[in-house]
Amino acid sequence: PICADENDMVERLLSAGHHGVWVKPARVRHFIPAQRLSRRYVRDWFIGGGRTNVRRGQIYATGPTLFGSPRWLFRLYVSSLVRSLFLFLLGNCQWFGHFRSASVARGMICEFRHND
C-alpha cells in the first residue's frame, strides 16, 4: 500500500487556505483486521512508506546509483536486513527497528527503479 494519503489531503486543504482545529476530547476507535497483524502486512506497509517517501520528493537519488537507485540504499537495506534477522534469532526486541529500516529502504529502491 502507498501511504500518506491523509497527509496529502491535509496539505491540499492548508494550501487552499483552510485550517483545522484539534479537538482534544474527541475519541476515535480503530478496527484492525487480524490480517493486518501479520509480519508480511507490516513489512508491506513499511515498503509502501518507503515508496511514498520517494514519490513525495523526500528522498533524492544523489550520488552513485545501482539499477536506478542510490547505492547507499542498497547498503542500508542489506545491513538492516542482516541486523534484523540476527537480532530476531537472538530474541532481541530491537530486531523490529532494523526490520522497519530494511522494509522502508526496499520500498525506496523499488520506487526509484520503477521511475528509472
PDB file of all heavy atoms in Angstrom, residues 22-52:
ATOM      1  N   TRP A  22      -7.777  21.181  16.542  1.00  0.00           N
ATOM      2  CA  TRP A  22      -7.543  19.976  17.327  1.00  0.00           C
ATOM      3  C   TRP A  22      -8.629  19.875  18.379  1.00  0.00           C
ATOM      4  O   TRP A  22      -8.866  20.817  19.140  1.00  0.00           O
ATOM      5  CB  TRP A  22      -6.170  20.037  17.997  1.00  0.00           C
ATOM      6  CG  TRP A  22      -5.893  18.842  18.846  1.00  0.00           C
ATOM      7  CD1 TRP A  22      -5.960  18.766  20.210  1.00  0.00           C
ATOM      8  CD2 TRP A  22      -5.521  17.548  18.397  1.00  0.00           C
ATOM      9  NE1 TRP A  22      -5.649  17.520  20.636  1.00  0.00           N
ATOM     10  CE2 TRP A  22      -5.375  16.735  19.541  1.00  0.00           C
ATOM     11  CE3 TRP A  22      -5.304  16.991  17.147  1.00  0.00           C
ATOM     12  CZ2 TRP A  22      -5.004  15.400  19.469  1.00  0.00           C
ATOM     13  CZ3 TRP A  22      -4.938  15.661  17.072  1.00  0.00           C
ATOM     14  CH2 TRP A  22      -4.793  14.884  18.218  1.00  0.00           C
ATOM     15  N   VAL A  23      -9.324  18.759  18.421  1.00  0.00           N
ATOM     16  CA  VAL A  23     -10.383  18.534  19.401  1.00  0.00           C
ATOM     17  C   VAL A  23      -9.871  17.466  20.366  1.00  0.00           C
ATOM     18  O   VAL A  23      -9.985  16.269  20.106  1.00  0.00           O
ATOM     19  CB  VAL A  23     -11.697  18.096  18.720  1.00  0.00           C
ATOM     20  CG1 VAL A  23     -12.803  17.899  19.753  1.00  0.00           C
ATOM     21  CG2 VAL A  23     -12.106  19.099  17.656  1.00  0.00           C
ATOM     22  N   LYS A  24      -9.286  17.924  21.466  1.00  0.00           N
ATOM     23  CA  LYS A  24      -8.628  17.018  22.398  1.00  0.00           C
ATOM     24  C   LYS A  24      -9.546  15.929  22.945  1.00  0.00           C
ATOM     25  O   LYS A  24      -9.140  14.769  23.018  1.00  0.00           O
ATOM     26  CB  LYS A  24      -7.994  17.810  23.536  1.00  0.00           C
ATOM     27  CG  LYS A  24      -7.155  16.964  24.446  1.00  0.00           C
ATOM     28  CD  LYS A  24      -6.431  17.784  25.478  1.00  0.00           C
ATOM     29  CE  LYS A  24      -5.576  16.891  26.351  1.00  0.00           C
ATOM     30  NZ  LYS A  24      -4.787  17.662  27.297  1.00  0.00           N
ATOM     31  N   PRO A  25     -10.790  16.235  23.334  1.00  0.00           N
ATOM     32  CA  PRO A  25     -11.613  15.172  23.915  1.00  0.00           C
ATOM     33  C   PRO A  25     -12.212  14.201  22.884  1.00  0.00           C
ATOM     34  O   PRO A  25     -12.873  13.242  23.264  1.00  0.00           O
ATOM     35  CB  PRO A  25     -12.713  15.926  24.660  1.00  0.00           C
ATOM     36  CG  PRO A  25     -12.810  17.243  23.980  1.00  0.00           C
ATOM     37  CD  PRO A  25     -11.423  17.546  23.483  1.00  0.00           C
ATOM     38  N   ALA A  26     -11.981  14.445  21.599  1.00  0.00           N
ATOM     39  CA  ALA A  26     -12.542  13.545  20.582  1.00  0.00           C
ATOM     40  C   ALA A  26     -11.958  12.144  20.759  1.00  0.00           C
ATOM     41  O   ALA A  26     -10.774  11.977  21.029  1.00  0.00           O
ATOM     42  CB  ALA A  26     -12.236  14.075  19.188  1.00  0.00           C
ATOM     43  N   ARG A  27     -12.767  11.145  20.571  1.00  0.00           N
ATOM     44  CA  ARG A  27     -12.325   9.759  20.712  1.00  0.00           C
ATOM     45  C   ARG A  27     -12.481   9.054  19.367  1.00  0.00           C
ATOM     46  O   ARG A  27     -13.476   9.233  18.677  1.00  0.00           O
ATOM     47  CB  ARG A  27     -13.151   9.040  21.765  1.00  0.00           C
ATOM     48  CG  ARG A  27     -13.039   9.728  23.129  1.00  0.00           C
ATOM     49  CD  ARG A  27     -13.722   8.924  24.148  1.00  0.00           C
ATOM     50  NE  ARG A  27     -12.667   8.111  24.749  1.00  0.00           N
ATOM     51  CZ  ARG A  27     -12.863   7.234  25.689  1.00  0.00           C
ATOM     52  NH1 ARG A  27     -14.071   7.000  26.121  1.00  0.00           N
ATOM     53  NH2 ARG A  27     -11.863   6.558  26.195  1.00  0.00           N
ATOM     54  N   VAL A  28     -11.499   8.262  19.055  1.00  0.00           N
ATOM     55  CA  VAL A  28     -11.508   7.509  17.808  1.00  0.00           C
ATOM     56  C   VAL A  28     -11.238   6.048  18.133  1.00  0.00           C
ATOM     57  O   VAL A  28     -10.353   5.735  18.925  1.00  0.00           O
ATOM     58  CB  VAL A  28     -10.424   8.034  16.830  1.00  0.00           C
ATOM     59  CG1 VAL A  28     -10.398   7.207  15.559  1.00  0.00           C
ATOM     60  CG2 VAL A  28     -10.652   9.495  16.524  1.00  0.00           C
ATOM     61  N   ARG A  29     -11.995   5.169  17.524  1.00  0.00           N
ATOM     62  CA  ARG A  29     -11.750   3.739  17.694  1.00  0.00           C
ATOM     63  C   ARG A  29     -11.355   3.180  16.333  1.00  0.00           C
ATOM     64  O   ARG A  29     -11.989   3.470  15.327  1.00  0.00           O
ATOM     65  CB  ARG A  29     -13.001   3.037  18.194  1.00  0.00           C
ATOM     66  CG  ARG A  29     -13.405   3.509  19.582  1.00  0.00           C
ATOM     67  CD  ARG A  29     -14.532   2.691  20.079  1.00  0.00           C
ATOM     68  NE  ARG A  29     -13.909   1.599  20.844  1.00  0.00           N
ATOM     69  CZ  ARG A  29     -14.586   0.659  21.428  1.00  0.00           C
ATOM     70  NH1 ARG A  29     -15.883   0.605  21.328  1.00  0.00           N
ATOM     71  NH2 ARG A  29     -13.969  -0.261  22.114  1.00  0.00           N
ATOM     72  N   HIS A  30     -10.327   2.396  16.322  1.00  0.00           N
ATOM     73  CA  HIS A  30      -9.854   1.773  15.091  1.00  0.00           C
ATOM     74  C   HIS A  30     -10.110   0.278  15.158  1.00  0.00           C
ATOM     75  O   HIS A  30      -9.751  -0.372  16.141  1.00  0.00           O
ATOM     76  CB  HIS A  30      -8.352   2.010  14.896  1.00  0.00           C
ATOM     77  CG  HIS A  30      -7.999   3.422  14.624  1.00  0.00           C
ATOM     78  ND1 HIS A  30      -8.071   3.982  13.376  1.00  0.00           N
ATOM     79  CD2 HIS A  30      -7.559   4.407  15.434  1.00  0.00           C
ATOM     80  CE1 HIS A  30      -7.699   5.238  13.425  1.00  0.00           C
ATOM     81  NE2 HIS A  30      -7.382   5.530  14.670  1.00  0.00           N
ATOM     82  N   PHE A  31     -10.704  -0.230  14.117  1.00  0.00           N
ATOM     83  CA  PHE A  31     -10.841  -1.676  13.974  1.00  0.00           C
ATOM     84  C   PHE A  31      -9.688  -2.154  13.107  1.00  0.00           C
ATOM     85  O   PHE A  31      -9.526  -1.689  11.981  1.00  0.00           O
ATOM     86  CB  PHE A  31     -12.187  -2.038  13.325  1.00  0.00           C
ATOM     87  CG  PHE A  31     -12.276  -3.478  12.963  1.00  0.00           C
ATOM     88  CD1 PHE A  31     -12.456  -4.445  13.938  1.00  0.00           C
ATOM     89  CD2 PHE A  31     -12.132  -3.880  11.648  1.00  0.00           C
ATOM     90  CE1 PHE A  31     -12.511  -5.786  13.610  1.00  0.00           C
ATOM     91  CE2 PHE A  31     -12.191  -5.223  11.302  1.00  0.00           C
ATOM     92  CZ  PHE A  31     -12.384  -6.173  12.294  1.00  0.00           C
ATOM     93  N   ILE A  32      -8.902  -3.050  13.623  1.00  0.00           N
ATOM     94  CA  ILE A  32      -7.750  -3.563  12.893  1.00  0.00           C
ATOM     95  C   ILE A  32      -7.996  -5.043  12.602  1.00  0.00           C
ATOM     96  O   ILE A  32      -7.992  -5.869  13.517  1.00  0.00           O
ATOM     97  CB  ILE A  32      -6.444  -3.377  13.682  1.00  0.00           C
ATOM     98  CG1 ILE A  32      -6.238  -1.897  13.991  1.00  0.00           C
ATOM     99  CG2 ILE A  32      -5.257  -3.950  12.909  1.00  0.00           C
ATOM    100  CD1 ILE A  32      -5.094  -1.602  14.921  1.00  0.00           C
ATOM    101  N   PRO A  33      -8.230  -5.383  11.333  1.00  0.00           N
ATOM    102  CA  PRO A  33      -8.456  -6.788  10.981  1.00  0.00           C
ATOM    103  C   PRO A  33      -7.233  -7.647  11.302  1.00  0.00           C
ATOM    104  O   PRO A  33      -6.094  -7.172  11.256  1.00  0.00           O
ATOM    105  CB  PRO A  33      -8.699  -6.756   9.467  1.00  0.00           C
ATOM    106  CG  PRO A  33      -8.967  -5.333   9.127  1.00  0.00           C
ATOM    107  CD  PRO A  33      -8.307  -4.499  10.176  1.00  0.00           C
ATOM    108  N   ALA A  34      -7.454  -8.894  11.619  1.00  0.00           N
ATOM    109  CA  ALA A  34      -6.376  -9.803  12.018  1.00  0.00           C
ATOM    110  C   ALA A  34      -5.270  -9.897  10.965  1.00  0.00           C
ATOM    111  O   ALA A  34      -4.091  -9.988  11.309  1.00  0.00           O
ATOM    112  CB  ALA A  34      -6.950 -11.188  12.305  1.00  0.00           C
ATOM    113  N   GLN A  35      -5.610  -9.837   9.669  1.00  0.00           N
ATOM    114  CA  GLN A  35      -4.589  -9.967   8.628  1.00  0.00           C
ATOM    115  C   GLN A  35      -3.592  -8.804   8.654  1.00  0.00           C
ATOM    116  O   GLN A  35      -2.488  -8.909   8.144  1.00  0.00           O
ATOM    117  CB  GLN A  35      -5.191 -10.149   7.231  1.00  0.00           C
ATOM    118  CG  GLN A  35      -5.934  -8.961   6.699  1.00  0.00           C
ATOM    119  CD  GLN A  35      -7.422  -9.023   6.977  1.00  0.00           C
ATOM    120  OE1 GLN A  35      -7.872  -9.674   7.917  1.00  0.00           O
ATOM    121  NE2 GLN A  35      -8.207  -8.328   6.170  1.00  0.00           N
ATOM    122  N   ARG A  36      -3.972  -7.686   9.263  1.00  0.00           N
ATOM    123  CA  ARG A  36      -3.056  -6.555   9.362  1.00  0.00           C
ATOM    124  C   ARG A  36      -2.061  -6.718  10.514  1.00  0.00           C
ATOM    125  O   ARG A  36      -1.210  -5.864  10.715  1.00  0.00           O
ATOM    126  CB  ARG A  36      -3.826  -5.254   9.549  1.00  0.00           C
ATOM    127  CG  ARG A  36      -4.543  -4.826   8.291  1.00  0.00           C
ATOM    128  CD  ARG A  36      -5.072  -3.443   8.445  1.00  0.00           C
ATOM    129  NE  ARG A  36      -5.701  -3.008   7.215  1.00  0.00           N
ATOM    130  CZ  ARG A  36      -6.165  -1.799   7.021  1.00  0.00           C
ATOM    131  NH1 ARG A  36      -6.077  -0.899   7.978  1.00  0.00           N
ATOM    132  NH2 ARG A  36      -6.724  -1.470   5.884  1.00  0.00           N
ATOM    133  N   LEU A  37      -2.170  -7.777  11.246  1.00  0.00           N
ATOM    134  CA  LEU A  37      -1.261  -8.029  12.358  1.00  0.00           C
ATOM    135  C   LEU A  37      -0.153  -9.008  11.981  1.00  0.00           C
ATOM    136  O   LEU A  37       0.625  -9.415  12.834  1.00  0.00           O
ATOM    137  CB  LEU A  37      -2.043  -8.552  13.572  1.00  0.00           C
ATOM    138  CG  LEU A  37      -3.134  -7.615  14.083  1.00  0.00           C
ATOM    139  CD1 LEU A  37      -3.900  -8.266  15.216  1.00  0.00           C
ATOM    140  CD2 LEU A  37      -2.537  -6.292  14.530  1.00  0.00           C
ATOM    141  N   SER A  38      -0.063  -9.345  10.721  1.00  0.00           N
ATOM    142  CA  SER A  38       0.977 -10.279  10.286  1.00  0.00           C
ATOM    143  C   SER A  38       2.269  -9.531   9.959  1.00  0.00           C
ATOM    144  O   SER A  38       2.259  -8.344   9.628  1.00  0.00           O
ATOM    145  CB  SER A  38       0.511 -11.051   9.039  1.00  0.00           C
ATOM    146  OG  SER A  38       0.473 -10.185   7.918  1.00  0.00           O
ATOM    147  N   ARG A  39       3.375 -10.235  10.064  1.00  0.00           N
ATOM    148  CA  ARG A  39       4.670  -9.644   9.729  1.00  0.00           C
ATOM    149  C   ARG A  39       4.692  -9.217   8.263  1.00  0.00           C
ATOM    150  O   ARG A  39       5.254  -8.185   7.919  1.00  0.00           O
ATOM    151  CB  ARG A  39       5.790 -10.649  10.013  1.00  0.00           C
ATOM    152  CG  ARG A  39       7.140  -9.980  10.073  1.00  0.00           C
ATOM    153  CD  ARG A  39       8.251 -10.912  10.525  1.00  0.00           C
ATOM    154  NE  ARG A  39       7.926 -11.490  11.814  1.00  0.00           N
ATOM    155  CZ  ARG A  39       8.220 -12.735  12.147  1.00  0.00           C
ATOM    156  NH1 ARG A  39       8.838 -13.527  11.313  1.00  0.00           N
ATOM    157  NH2 ARG A  39       7.899 -13.200  13.338  1.00  0.00           N
ATOM    158  N   ARG A  40       4.072 -10.000   7.404  1.00  0.00           N
ATOM    159  CA  ARG A  40       4.048  -9.678   5.971  1.00  0.00           C
ATOM    160  C   ARG A  40       3.311  -8.358   5.711  1.00  0.00           C
ATOM    161  O   ARG A  40       3.765  -7.527   4.938  1.00  0.00           O
ATOM    162  CB  ARG A  40       3.397 -10.804   5.189  1.00  0.00           C
ATOM    163  CG  ARG A  40       3.366 -10.541   3.714  1.00  0.00           C
ATOM    164  CD  ARG A  40       2.689 -11.663   2.953  1.00  0.00           C
ATOM    165  NE  ARG A  40       2.804 -11.385   1.550  1.00  0.00           N
ATOM    166  CZ  ARG A  40       3.093 -12.277   0.635  1.00  0.00           C
ATOM    167  NH1 ARG A  40       3.296 -13.529   0.979  1.00  0.00           N
ATOM    168  NH2 ARG A  40       3.174 -11.942  -0.626  1.00  0.00           N
ATOM    169  N   TYR A  41       2.151  -8.164   6.356  1.00  0.00           N
ATOM    170  CA  TYR A  41       1.397  -6.919   6.161  1.00  0.00           C
ATOM    171  C   TYR A  41       2.208  -5.728   6.649  1.00  0.00           C
ATOM    172  O   TYR A  41       2.288  -4.698   5.976  1.00  0.00           O
ATOM    173  CB  TYR A  41       0.050  -6.961   6.883  1.00  0.00           C
ATOM    174  CG  TYR A  41      -0.713  -5.674   6.673  1.00  0.00           C
ATOM    175  CD1 TYR A  41      -1.521  -5.510   5.559  1.00  0.00           C
ATOM    176  CD2 TYR A  41      -0.568  -4.602   7.549  1.00  0.00           C
ATOM    177  CE1 TYR A  41      -2.189  -4.318   5.325  1.00  0.00           C
ATOM    178  CE2 TYR A  41      -1.229  -3.401   7.329  1.00  0.00           C
ATOM    179  CZ  TYR A  41      -2.038  -3.268   6.214  1.00  0.00           C
ATOM    180  OH  TYR A  41      -2.687  -2.079   5.984  1.00  0.00           O
ATOM    181  N   VAL A  42       2.815  -5.864   7.828  1.00  0.00           N
ATOM    182  CA  VAL A  42       3.607  -4.769   8.390  1.00  0.00           C
ATOM    183  C   VAL A  42       4.784  -4.453   7.469  1.00  0.00           C
ATOM    184  O   VAL A  42       5.076  -3.285   7.195  1.00  0.00           O
ATOM    185  CB  VAL A  42       4.069  -5.103   9.823  1.00  0.00           C
ATOM    186  CG1 VAL A  42       5.042  -4.062  10.352  1.00  0.00           C
ATOM    187  CG2 VAL A  42       2.863  -5.233  10.749  1.00  0.00           C
ATOM    188  N   ARG A  43       5.442  -5.491   6.953  1.00  0.00           N
ATOM    189  CA  ARG A  43       6.548  -5.278   6.009  1.00  0.00           C
ATOM    190  C   ARG A  43       6.063  -4.530   4.773  1.00  0.00           C
ATOM    191  O   ARG A  43       6.662  -3.541   4.355  1.00  0.00           O
ATOM    192  CB  ARG A  43       7.148  -6.626   5.587  1.00  0.00           C
ATOM    193  CG  ARG A  43       8.329  -6.468   4.624  1.00  0.00           C
ATOM    194  CD  ARG A  43       8.575  -7.706   3.809  1.00  0.00           C
ATOM    195  NE  ARG A  43       7.430  -7.920   2.922  1.00  0.00           N
ATOM    196  CZ  ARG A  43       7.149  -9.064   2.345  1.00  0.00           C
ATOM    197  NH1 ARG A  43       7.899 -10.130   2.544  1.00  0.00           N
ATOM    198  NH2 ARG A  43       6.109  -9.187   1.540  1.00  0.00           N
ATOM    199  N   ASP A  44       4.952  -4.977   4.203  1.00  0.00           N
ATOM    200  CA  ASP A  44       4.411  -4.326   3.006  1.00  0.00           C
ATOM    201  C   ASP A  44       3.997  -2.886   3.288  1.00  0.00           C
ATOM    202  O   ASP A  44       4.137  -2.011   2.440  1.00  0.00           O
ATOM    203  CB  ASP A  44       3.230  -5.123   2.448  1.00  0.00           C
ATOM    204  CG  ASP A  44       3.646  -6.453   1.835  1.00  0.00           C
ATOM    205  OD1 ASP A  44       4.869  -6.665   1.610  1.00  0.00           O
ATOM    206  OD2 ASP A  44       2.762  -7.289   1.587  1.00  0.00           O
ATOM    207  N   TRP A  45       3.511  -2.627   4.503  1.00  0.00           N
ATOM    208  CA  TRP A  45       3.119  -1.270   4.877  1.00  0.00           C
ATOM    209  C   TRP A  45       4.342  -0.362   4.922  1.00  0.00           C
ATOM    210  O   TRP A  45       4.320   0.758   4.404  1.00  0.00           O
ATOM    211  CB  TRP A  45       2.396  -1.293   6.225  1.00  0.00           C
ATOM    212  CG  TRP A  45       1.714  -0.020   6.545  1.00  0.00           C
ATOM    213  CD1 TRP A  45       0.491   0.381   6.090  1.00  0.00           C
ATOM    214  CD2 TRP A  45       2.195   1.035   7.365  1.00  0.00           C
ATOM    215  NE1 TRP A  45       0.186   1.628   6.605  1.00  0.00           N
ATOM    216  CE2 TRP A  45       1.215   2.048   7.394  1.00  0.00           C
ATOM    217  CE3 TRP A  45       3.353   1.219   8.108  1.00  0.00           C
ATOM    218  CZ2 TRP A  45       1.360   3.212   8.112  1.00  0.00           C
ATOM    219  CZ3 TRP A  45       3.515   2.385   8.824  1.00  0.00           C
ATOM    220  CH2 TRP A  45       2.519   3.370   8.820  1.00  0.00           C
ATOM    221  N   PHE A  46       5.447  -0.847   5.507  1.00  0.00           N
ATOM    222  CA  PHE A  46       6.673  -0.051   5.552  1.00  0.00           C
ATOM    223  C   PHE A  46       7.292   0.109   4.162  1.00  0.00           C
ATOM    224  O   PHE A  46       7.845   1.155   3.845  1.00  0.00           O
ATOM    225  CB  PHE A  46       7.689  -0.649   6.525  1.00  0.00           C
ATOM    226  CG  PHE A  46       7.360  -0.380   7.958  1.00  0.00           C
ATOM    227  CD1 PHE A  46       7.220  -1.412   8.858  1.00  0.00           C
ATOM    228  CD2 PHE A  46       7.181   0.923   8.428  1.00  0.00           C
ATOM    229  CE1 PHE A  46       6.924  -1.174  10.190  1.00  0.00           C
ATOM    230  CE2 PHE A  46       6.874   1.174   9.755  1.00  0.00           C
ATOM    231  CZ  PHE A  46       6.744   0.122  10.642  1.00  0.00           C
ATOM    232  N   ILE A  47       7.195  -0.912   3.318  1.00  0.00           N
ATOM    233  CA  ILE A  47       7.659  -0.789   1.929  1.00  0.00           C
ATOM    234  C   ILE A  47       6.866   0.325   1.240  1.00  0.00           C
ATOM    235  O   ILE A  47       7.433   1.164   0.539  1.00  0.00           O
ATOM    236  CB  ILE A  47       7.522  -2.127   1.177  1.00  0.00           C
ATOM    237  CG1 ILE A  47       8.574  -3.125   1.684  1.00  0.00           C
ATOM    238  CG2 ILE A  47       7.653  -1.939  -0.331  1.00  0.00           C
ATOM    239  CD1 ILE A  47       8.402  -4.540   1.158  1.00  0.00           C
ATOM    240  N   GLY A  48       5.558   0.347   1.448  1.00  0.00           N
ATOM    241  CA  GLY A  48       4.724   1.416   0.890  1.00  0.00           C
ATOM    242  C   GLY A  48       5.147   2.784   1.404  1.00  0.00           C
ATOM    243  O   GLY A  48       5.142   3.770   0.662  1.00  0.00           O
ATOM    244  N   GLY A  49       5.547   2.844   2.667  1.00  0.00           N
ATOM    245  CA  GLY A  49       6.034   4.103   3.226  1.00  0.00           C
ATOM    246  C   GLY A  49       7.306   4.568   2.539  1.00  0.00           C
ATOM    247  O   GLY A  49       7.476   5.766   2.265  1.00  0.00           O
ATOM    248  N   GLY A  50       8.205   3.631   2.243  1.00  0.00           N
ATOM    249  CA  GLY A  50       9.433   3.977   1.519  1.00  0.00           C
ATOM    250  C   GLY A  50       9.129   4.482   0.116  1.00  0.00           C
ATOM    251  O   GLY A  50       9.715   5.467  -0.344  1.00  0.00           O
ATOM    252  N   ARG A  51       8.200   3.827  -0.545  1.00  0.00           N
ATOM    253  CA  ARG A  51       7.809   4.271  -1.893  1.00  0.00           C
ATOM    254  C   ARG A  51       7.192   5.672  -1.832  1.00  0.00           C
ATOM    255  O   ARG A  51       7.456   6.514  -2.686  1.00  0.00           O
ATOM    256  CB  ARG A  51       6.824   3.281  -2.513  1.00  0.00           C
ATOM    257  CG  ARG A  51       7.475   1.918  -2.779  1.00  0.00           C
ATOM    258  CD  ARG A  51       6.552   1.032  -3.504  1.00  0.00           C
ATOM    259  NE  ARG A  51       6.489   1.529  -4.881  1.00  0.00           N
ATOM    260  CZ  ARG A  51       6.200   0.787  -5.919  1.00  0.00           C
ATOM    261  NH1 ARG A  51       5.928  -0.487  -5.769  1.00  0.00           N
ATOM    262  NH2 ARG A  51       6.157   1.302  -7.122  1.00  0.00           N
ATOM    263  N   THR A  52       6.391   5.905  -0.802  1.00  0.00           N
ATOM    264  CA  THR A  52       5.771   7.219  -0.624  1.00  0.00           C
ATOM    265  C   THR A  52       6.823   8.295  -0.410  1.00  0.00           C
ATOM    266  O   THR A  52       6.706   9.397  -0.957  1.00  0.00           O
ATOM    267  CB  THR A  52       4.786   7.185   0.561  1.00  0.00           C
ATOM    268  OG1 THR A  52       3.774   6.214   0.282  1.00  0.00           O
ATOM    269  CG2 THR A  52       4.134   8.539   0.789  1.00  0.00           C
TER     270      THR A  52
END
